Amino acid sequence: GMEVGGGMLYASSVVDGIVHQLGGWRFKIECSMVNVVKKDERVPVGSSAITGPGLGSDLSKEYDAIVHTTPPFYNYFNEGDPSSYLRQCYQNSLKMAFEEISSSSDENSNDSRVAIPLLGAGGRGFPIDVAIGIAASEAISWSQKHDKMNGQSEVLAFGLPEISNANMLIDELKRMELQ
């Protein structure tokens, strides 16, 4: 989300909150400059937007850009199948992230790297097995369509702090690759 933290009880316990803390005040300003797309939403469910990491922030030491996306709430989404919207989050975010990298990377770089959390799990209420299944299938789909584009290797790294979830994702990726 673009405005995480305002009114959240534990903003630092979710990825959005941590990103906003590390991005600092310049990052917050960049987020506020993203155009409103639908009603009062800057990033409607299933879509993505990109900002810088906040000049001089802790984020800017590690990342060149931040892609924002809004997964649906699993049990409280009235606009269609929440799983299809979660898939859209991955598709739109990965497209935006790798396009940004390819447009801004130097010619000597051999690979593009994108880090992504497990979308939809946690506060959005997706059961972990559903969130992992969607993450794995979208990662494989992306890899099959885009690997070695423009002579560059594309690396997608999932950041999952819980080792059990990381192992579940690895197992699901292996299972899907065998199909």
Side-chain angles (χ1 to χ4, degrees), residues 71-72 82-91 119-120 126 130-131 134:
S83 294
S84 67
Y85 279 83
L86 185 58
R87 288 183 188 286
Q88 287 179 21
C89 288
Y90 279 106
Q91 293 161 5
L119 301 174
F126 275 79
V130 173
I134 292 170

Side-chain angles (χ1 to χ4, degrees), residues 56-82:
S57 71
D58 288 341
L59 274 182
S60 67
K61 295 173 187 170
E62 299 292 331
Y63 301 100
D64 296 326
I66 304 298
V67 176
H68 307 263
T69 191
T70 307
F73 286 98
Y74 186 72
N75 290 319
Y76 304 101
F77 188 65
N78 300 325
E79 297 180 32
D81 175 28

Side-chain angles (χ1 to χ4, degrees), residues 102-119:
S102 64
S103 70
S104 65
S105 65
D106 65 41
E107 296 172 13
N108 299 326
S109 177
N110 292 332
D111 62 0
S112 301
R113 297 172 186 263
V114 169
I116 191 166
L118 182 62
L119 301 174

Side-chain angles (χ1 to χ4, degrees), residues 121-173:
R124 295 294 172 153
F126 275 79
I128 196 69
D129 60 323
V130 173
I132 284 175
I134 292 170
S137 68
E138 291 305 319
I140 288 172
S141 176
W142 181 264
S143 176
Q144 289 170 343
K145 292 177 188 172
H146 299 91
D147 200 28
K148 295 282 187 187
M149 288 184 68
N150 302 324
Q152 289 188 332
S153 173
E154 294 182 338
V155 177
L156 177 61
F158 281 92
L160 288 91
E162 297 86 10
I163 192 71
S164 60
N165 292 345
N167 287 333
M168 285 175 62
L169 179 59
I170 290 166
D171 291 344
E172 185 67 8
L173 287 165

Side-chain angles (χ1 to χ4, degrees), residues 39-67:
K39 295 181 191 172
D40 61 346
E41 297 176 272
R42 296 184 195 286
V43 185
V45 171
S47 67
S48 299
I50 194 165
T51 67
L55 185 64
S57 71
D58 288 341
L59 274 182
S60 67
K61 295 173 187 170
E62 299 292 331
Y63 301 100
D64 296 326
I66 304 298
V67 176

